[in-house]
Every structure is written in C-alpha cells, then in structure tokens.
Amino acid sequence: MSYLLFQVSFVAYILAMTVYLVFFFTQKKYVRTLARKLFFGAALLHTANIIARLVEAGHTPITSVHEVISFFAWSIAWCYLSFRWRYTVKNFGTFSSILVVLLMLVSALAPHAILPLSQTQHSWLFPVHASLAIIADAFLALACIGGLMYLLQERELKQKRFGFFYSRLPSLESLDKLNQHCLSIGFTLMTLGMFTGYVWARQIWGGRNWHWDPKIVWAMITWFLYAALMHQRFTMGWRGRRAAVVTIVAFMAVLLTLVFLFKGVHGHGA
Amino acid sequence: MARDTIVLLGVNHKTTPLAVREKLALAGGYEQPLAALRRLDCLDECFLLSTCNRVEVLFTCREPDLARRRVLDTLFAGSVSREEVAGCIYQYQDREAVRHLFLVASSLDSMIVGESQILGQLKEAYRFAAEKKTSGMVLNKLLHKSFSVAKRVRTETRIGASAVSISYAAVELGKKIFGDLKGKRVMLVGAGEMAELAAEHFVGQGVAEVIVANRTFERAVKLAGCYHGRAIGLEELVEQLQHVDIIVSSTGAPDLILTRKDVAPVMRKRRYQPLFFIDIAVPRDLDPAINEIDNVYLYDIDDLNNVVEMNKSERDREAVKATRIVEEETLKFCGWLENMEVTPTIIAIRAMAEQICRDELDRTLGRLGSLSEKEKKSLEKMAASICSKMLYHPIRYLKTDHPCVDQQKRVEMVRALFNLDRDGGEGP
C-alpha cells in the first residue's frame, strides 16, 4: 500500500517537473499554475505515503536508505512549498522539482523493505534527531540550489553575455534573500539536530561520549562551515557570490555526511 | 447613400522632423481644436491625438478631399504653411486608417516600439473627444477596439518586455541586480542630458533618492531640484558611494574619475551590498576593473548598447506577431463596418417601397372615389403585402452570407437595382 503511494507520488513529481521544465522554456504563465498544482498534489501524495509507511512499520520511517532519501525529498518538497508561500523566486520551482525527482529516483532504486529498528534506534530521541537533521538538510539543499542559480545569473551579469538563463532566472537580490532565509532556518534546525544527536549518544553510550566516526566528524565540519558562513553573513554582511559559493561547498559536506550515514555508527541496525 | 469614410491624417516622427512637429503639436490642449473641428459641417465625428512624437486627426466624413482641406486649415493654418503641411502629412482611409490607429495604439508605430506610454495618451485624448461628444458611434467603437487591440498585443506578445533604449536597458539590468528599485538611491555624476534621461527612468521606477554630483555646483542643484534630490560636489563622490546603490556617470572628464582602488574599500563599509555603475560617458569615467570587485557591476555604453541590440532582435520577432494581431483585428473591425452598411440599405429600400405604395394608392383611391373604409383598408393591405413580398428576396440576399459575392458588392448591386442613390435617370 505505502509503496504504491510512493510510486504514484514519484510519477506525480516527474509530471510536475516536466511541466515546470515546459514553463522554463516557454515562459507561459498558465503552465506554471498547472506545475504548481501538480507539485502540491505530489507532495500531498508523498505525505500520505510516509504516513502509510509509518503505520505499516510502527515506527517513523527513517531507517533504511530508501526511507531516508524519500524523507529527504519529502522535506525538500515541503520546505519549497513553505518558502513559496512567503516569497516568489522566479523558476525556483523548476530547479527544486528536479532535485526532488533525482532524490526520489535514488530512493526508488534502493531496496524498499521495512527494516526492524536496531537496539539503539529504540530511543524516542532517534526519530527526533533524524527528522530534524533531514529537514535541516532540506533547507540547506534549497539554499544550495539558490546558490547555484545565483552563480549562473551573476556570471551572465558580470560577463555581460546574456544567454539562455538571463531572462529565466530571478534577480540576484531575491536569490540572496532565499539564501539567507533557508540558511537561517536550516542552520537552526541543524544545530537542534546535532544537540539531540548528542543527547541520544549519551543515552546509548553512556559516559563514552566521543566517537571518531567519520559521519560525526563530517557532521561537525559541516556545522562549522555553516556556522562560519552565518557568522560572516550576519556580522560582516557577507552576501552574494561568496555566500553562494560557501553555501554550495557546505552542502557538498552535507552530502558526504549522508554518504557516511549509511556506513558508520548510524548503520549499526542495517 | 454610402457610408461615411473614415479618414486619418497625421504626422509622426518618421515623416516629419522635430522642428515641424513642434509647430504642429496642439500645445494648448484638445478642447479648442476639437471645438473648432466640430464647427466644420463637413465632418460627422472627429478625434485628435497629439504627443511629442505625433499628431493624428481621425474623422468621418462624406467628402474626404474637401474635409481634408478644411481640417488642415482649421488646425494648422496659423502655424505652418499649407505646402509644408502637405509635404509631411500622411492620409489613410477606411481599412488603412483603422490599421494605422491599431498600430499606433499597440505601440508598433512608436519611436521606441513596445513602449507603453502611447496607450495612456490615446485614452486621455479619447476622454476629451467623448466629453465633447465629437466622437460618435463609429469612432467610439473604433477607439474602444484600438484599446483592446493594444491590450491583446501586450498580453499575447512580449513586445513590451524588452528594453530598447539605453536608459531603459540600465533600468532592466538594475532590476536583475536589485529585484525592486524602490527604496534604492541613485547618484548622477555629471548633469548632462543623458544623465537626466536615465534619472527620469529610475525615478519612474520609484527610487528613494536622487543625488547629483557635478563640476559646476549650480547645475547640480538645478537638476537635483527636479527630483527633490540633493546636490553634492565632485570631491564627496567616494564618500557618497557608501550610501548609494546605482551610479550613473556621464561627465565630460578626459580621465577616469573612479578607479578600482576607490571602490574596493567602500564595499566592506557597505556590508557588501551590491553597487551598480553605469558609465555612459565617452571617454569613460569609470575604471573597467571596477567590474571585477565582488557584488559590483559596471556597465559602459557599449555593454548597454549590446543589451539594446539583443532586445531589438527579440522585439522584431515579437513585432511580427503583433502585426499579425493588428491585421486580424483590422479585418474584424472592417467586418463590423460592412455590417453597418446593410442596415441603412434595407431601411432605404423599405422607405422607397413605402413611398411608391403611398403614391400609387393615393392616385388609385382618388380615381375610384366612393369606397367604404373597409374596402380602402383592404386595398392598402394588398399593396403593402405585394411590396413586402417583392422585397423579401432582395433583403434576404443582403442579409445572409453569400459564398461568392461579398457584402460590399451585394450592397452596391441592390443599391444600383433599386436606384437608391438616385444617380441620374428618372424615378419610377
């Protein structure tokens, strides 16, 4: 049942992305309206999928690779929608929907059997820690997309060669605002996620509270990267190109952390 | 009786130099000239449009040649000689006139194709004609149609979307950098004509403040006054960079007035908020290396020209689409005009038939003498029904669409058959 919902929402995301791409090329307004509706519908279906999976498994579905990536895609979709509700950034939907579809593809390729919880995952802190971290990553992913869009647009403006993207991308200012918005929320959630992770680690490992585990090390590096960026942004007024570059680099660190997630200490149950 | 001819007389920036246009422009507003035109009894309806790029006179009349002479004398007699006017004026009739008006309304005939001002000017001019009741059924319909054509062109093509003047291109770039120009500060360095034009565009976008820096302070104060802005001396230039967002430079200085070294330290103080430099001076005022600083964008006159050129080619593509829309709407409007001609023709036929009936009845009844009221009534009825049965097919022929003979032809034919225009020959 839940997997059927997954497949249906996957197809809906693909449709939404296709329509968004059509809008990207043709710039016809009614196409965008359709794309938005499709994307919203897909996100609703995806929500139903996750709830169904929760009921089937009896625990928050963020244990297997399939579940984590799917949850990640779901978070990005809803973070995008929450952002859309407050600001408009031209063609941001196109880029976001591509990322969501890519993640859904990875998720679909991973084995989708429901895994039992491992010993350590029985704590109530585990779902809190994991979902906070993943939602934080979703905001950071959006910041990264915004950064990429910024660099594309900035390049055209600096080099004064106006190509395909110039008219299709929003203004630098709105992309920078997007960066700030997503970073502030993403960083806050990430900090909370790290903190709950720390408490959870104390719970299961007792006094031995430091593991030289690559996942944890990378998570710390990532956190410091974002902390530095936030610091520079709010005290020095860093913005624009430099902020965009650091956002993208830091997100690469997030992705590396995710790769280690499925190997290191967190993979104990799998 | 044929329909009135729609005539459009005008001069525009393509046919007439500014020196002449200035004299022809109706500087004193529309009221007096409209009142003067209304006094001409050769015109049925009339409408005037006068902007800095064009003067258009639109009217309907029976005899276009006579009306043309009268109208030109009325409007321009005082200012320009007849020969000079005749040399630059263009005249369109009916379908051509309709098309020209639609082209003007949708800004395809403008100096800057796609600019949106003209529609507002047209509506304003129409307001006067409507208030003074100089426009009647045909022109009202025509002008309303021209507004909707302009709207259609605007929504279905991207003709208005591209920037085709340097100042406009600068505004467009500014929007790509700042998103919204509201609340931004503009500094003009040099107070020449170009700077003024650029300032005009930026003020139109709602910038918060205009600051003018100029070699001669007096001129700076004067220009700043136009935009409720501030004037500063050229020495304060670098200091002011911290507070402004857009700098338009157009001085006649032979050397650079700002270099990379001047601008780079300012960025830190500005907390890296973007700066947009526009250098429209030749030789250049600003060091090209300024563009290399992060969050600083420098465009010189060539860069802006490239934007304009790029937009022009896009606009030309859109203009083809827009022209197609105008053609389509012109055809539709002419269709409406033709329809309008059938009705008076039918009325004329009926009136003629009725007249004949009446005459013949009077003669016959006079000769017969003693008839009861009832008998008279029956005779009248019979005559009337013979008439209407005779006319049934000709009228149907006029009204219904015919695959091989167009309406204009049919109207002409029926008019000739019944001699409705009384062109020579004896009546029945």
Side-chain angles (χ1 to χ4, degrees):
Chain A
M1 171 62 188
S2 74
Y3 194 65
L4 179 71
L5 274 169
F6 177 83
Q7 284 167 318
V8 174
S9 60
F10 187 23
V11 171
Y13 278 131
I14 291 176
L15 278 176
M17 177 188 75
T18 316
V19 180
Y20 263 127
L21 281 172
V22 171
F23 169 66
F24 193 73
F25 285 94
T26 62
Q27 306 276 292
K28 293 253 184 334
K29 281 215 173 80
Y30 62 89
V31 178
R32 183 177 57 191
T33 320
L34 177 66
R36 280 182 187 157
K37 282 181 184 152
L38 276 171
F39 191 79
F40 185 64
L44 284 178
L45 282 168
H46 199 178
T47 311
N49 153 246
I50 287 176
I51 293 172
R53 185 125 180 142
L54 174 86
V55 173
E56 269 173 44
H59 58 81
T60 320
I62 29 183
T63 42
S64 69
V65 176
H66 165 74
E67 287 169 347
V68 169
I69 303 279
S70 159
F71 192 81
F72 190 26
W74 176 83
S75 311
I76 291 177
W78 282 102
C79 293
Y80 165 71
L81 288 169
S82 80
F83 185 81
R84 202 28 223 99
W85 168 60
R86 278 187 62 187
Y87 307 94
T88 30
V89 175
K90 198 176 176 187
N91 277 321
F92 187 38
T94 314
F95 288 80
S96 306
S97 63
I98 292 174
L99 181 66
V100 169
V101 167
L102 284 178
L103 286 171
M104 289 297 275
L105 184 68
V106 174
S107 173
L109 291 176
H112 48 84
I114 294 175
L115 298 177
L117 287 179
S118 67
Q119 202 74 72
T120 54
Q121 286 169 336
H122 271 298
S123 162
W124 63 272
L125 270 169
F126 164 67
V128 176
H129 161 69
S131 47
L132 273 175
I134 292 175
I135 295 171
D137 287 353
F139 274 105
L140 299 175
L142 290 184
C144 172
I145 295 176
L148 280 172
M149 288 167 79
Y150 187 99
L151 290 185
L152 280 173
Q153 181 71 304
E154 202 244 14
R155 219 174 82 106
E156 306 230 320
L157 276 168
K158 273 272 189 210
Q159 301 194 339
K160 299 155 189 175
R161 258 182 257 124
F162 303 107
F164 180 71
F165 288 109
Y166 175 70
S167 63
R168 290 177 169 78
L169 288 180
S171 67
L172 293 179
E173 175 67 23
S174 61
L175 287 170
D176 197 57
K177 233 187 219 143
L178 180 143
N179 183 286
Q180 173 163 352
H181 175 92
C182 290
L183 268 188
S184 333
I185 299 182
F187 181 71
T188 314
L189 291 176
M190 191 187 190
T191 312
L192 283 173
M194 300 270 291
F195 180 71
T196 48
Y198 168 75
V199 177
W200 180 38
R202 298 253 331 178
Q203 241 182 25
I204 53 178
W205 293 324
R208 232 186 96 221
N209 51 21
W210 185 251
H211 269 244
W212 279 107
D213 169 59
K215 146 97 185 154
I216 297 179
V217 175
W218 268 109
M220 289 306 288
I221 293 175
T222 313
W223 188 86
F224 275 116
L225 270 172
Y226 279 112
L229 175 59
M230 290 295 284
H231 176 264
Q232 289 300 88
R233 223 193 141 92
F234 283 96
T235 61
M236 301 285 296
W238 263 34
R239 65 175 71 229
R241 191 187 146 75
R242 229 181 286 181
V245 170
V246 178
T247 309
I248 294 169
V249 170
F251 188 68
M252 295 301 125
V254 169
L255 288 183
L256 259 178
T257 318
L258 276 181
V259 170
F260 285 119
L261 170 82
F262 304 117
K263 292 184 183 160
V265 81
H266 290 65
H268 276 182
Chain B
M1 182 204 89
R3 178 177 56 81
D4 279 5
T5 314
I6 299 175
V7 183
L8 188 145
L9 299 175
V11 293
N12 65 13
H13 56 94
K14 291 177 196 161
T15 61
T16 317
L18 181 63
V20 181
R21 253 162 36 224
E22 272 170 354
K23 288 188 217 155
L24 294 177
L26 307 168
Y30 291 118
E31 277 163 22
Q32 277 182 345
L34 276 176
L37 286 183
R38 199 156 60 150
R39 280 195 292 273
L40 298 177
D41 47 11
C42 53
L43 301 188
D44 274 353
E45 305 175 24
C46 61
F47 164 81
L48 282 172
L49 170 72
S50 169
T51 73
C52 47
N53 285 332
R54 64 180 66 250
V55 178
E56 311 267 354
V57 190
L58 181 66
F59 55 87
T60 62
C61 62
R62 284 288 147 71
E63 295 160 72
D65 294 329
L66 173 74
R68 173 194 159 109
R69 267 200 310 278
R70 293 266 180 84
V71 166
L72 292 183
D73 286 348
T74 312
L75 290 177
F76 308 127
S79 41
V80 189
S81 72
R82 268 188 193 176
E83 291 72 40
E84 204 170 351
V85 172
C88 55
I89 210 146
Y90 48 77
Q91 175 173 0
Y92 296 113
Q93 290 190 6
D94 289 330
R95 178 176 296 203
E96 294 300 312
V98 171
R99 177 187 297 126
H100 182 77
L101 183 72
F102 287 176
L103 286 174
V104 169
S106 42
S107 185
L108 290 167
D109 198 51
S110 300
M111 189 183 266
I112 301 171
V113 172
E115 54 101 6
S116 54
Q117 251 180 352
I118 183 67
L119 185 58
Q121 290 164 333
L122 194 67
K123 283 182 175 167
E124 173 74 8
Y126 174 61
R127 200 168 57 80
F128 279 101
E131 261 172 26
K132 295 269 157 203
K133 298 210 166 35
T134 61
S135 59
M137 188 185 61
V138 175
L139 289 194
N140 283 343
K141 173 92 180 172
L142 178 57
L143 282 155
H144 280 292
K145 195 73 209 165
S146 75
F147 304 153
S148 69
V149 172
K151 190 157 178 251
R152 220 190 123 191
V153 165
R154 205 145 280 276
T155 47
E156 290 181 25
T157 72
R158 288 170 42 78
I159 193 135
S162 34
V164 285
S165 72
I166 292 206
S167 322
Y168 200 90
V171 167
E172 199 197 39
L173 286 165
K175 279 188 180 165
K176 276 289 176 194
I177 295 169
F178 297 109
D180 195 350
L181 295 180
K182 282 197 186 68
K184 299 287 174 253
R185 284 159 207 276
V186 179
M187 178 156 70
L188 306 178
V189 185
E193 206 174 300
M194 285 291 267
E196 212 175 319
L197 200 63
E200 197 78 52
H201 271 87
F202 279 114
V203 168
Q205 295 294 323
V207 294
E209 196 182 13
V210 178
I211 297 163
V212 186
N214 197 37
R215 197 161 42 83
T216 48
F217 193 63
E218 196 191 338
R219 171 86 185 117
V221 173
K222 221 172 176 182
L223 186 60
C226 299
Y227 308 109
H228 310 288
R230 277 187 299 131
I232 58 162
L234 272 182
E235 315 74 52
E236 296 172 75
L237 198 60
V238 177
E239 198 183 315
Q240 285 295 326
L241 285 181
Q242 200 181 327
H243 308 293
V244 298
D245 305 288
I246 299 162
I247 294 99
V248 183
S249 186
S250 62
T251 71
D255 301 314
L256 298 179
I257 58 167
L258 278 177
T259 61
R260 189 186 164 139
K261 272 188 207 136
D262 295 323
V263 181
V266 177
M267 288 313 285
R268 208 183 147 88
K269 287 190 212 144
R270 288 178 57 83
R271 295 174 59 83
Y272 303 99
Q273 301 210 46
L275 260 179
F276 179 28
F277 287 94
I278 301 148
D279 186 358
I280 42 184
V282 181
R284 286 184 287 188
D285 283 344
L286 307 176
D287 181 5
I290 290 176
N291 193 44
E292 291 158 19
I293 306 171
D294 252 4
N295 294 330
V296 178
Y297 304 88
L298 166 67
Y299 279 75
D300 64 28
I301 189 106
D302 278 1
D303 302 330
L304 291 172
N305 267 330
N306 285 342
V307 178
V308 169
E309 279 310 311
M310 183 186 78
N311 287 337
K312 263 187 189 153
S313 62
E314 186 198 335
R315 190 204 57 203
D316 290 344
R317 276 198 305 279
E318 294 300 312
V320 173
K321 261 193 252 171
T323 314
R324 199 239 319 134
I325 293 175
V326 165
E327 286 302 329
E328 227 176 273
E329 296 288 344
T330 307
L331 279 179
K332 268 194 223 163
F333 188 81
C334 292
W336 178 81
L337 274 180
E338 277 166 20
N339 257 330
M340 289 315 295
E341 288 170 54
V342 173
T343 317
T345 306
I346 293 171
I347 292 171
I349 296 178
R350 289 221 170 104
M352 184 196 74
E354 239 170 62
Q355 190 58 44
I356 295 170
C357 263
R358 185 104 319 263
D359 291 346
E360 294 304 310
L361 272 171
D362 283 347
R363 219 178 331 168
T364 314
L365 290 175
R367 230 181 287 152
L368 283 173
S370 57
L371 279 178
S372 69
E373 272 309 304
K374 204 180 163 192
E375 285 169 310
K376 276 187 189 169
K377 276 267 153 62
S378 318
L379 265 181
E380 278 171 14
K381 230 178 175 176
M382 182 192 75
S385 74
I386 290 174
C387 269
S388 64
K389 287 209 169 129
M390 295 275 289
L391 291 182
Y392 175 77
H393 285 288
I395 287 175
R396 221 183 67 147
Y397 178 68
L398 273 179
K399 271 185 173 168
T400 43
D401 271 335
H402 208 279
C404 43
V405 193
D406 74 352
Q407 204 156 38
Q408 195 108 39
K409 282 263 166 59
R410 277 179 280 143
V411 171
E412 266 172 36
M413 194 189 296
V414 171
R415 280 180 171 275
L417 275 176
F418 288 90
N419 194 20
L420 292 177
D421 295 314
R422 302 194 190 282
D423 46 354
E426 297 282 290

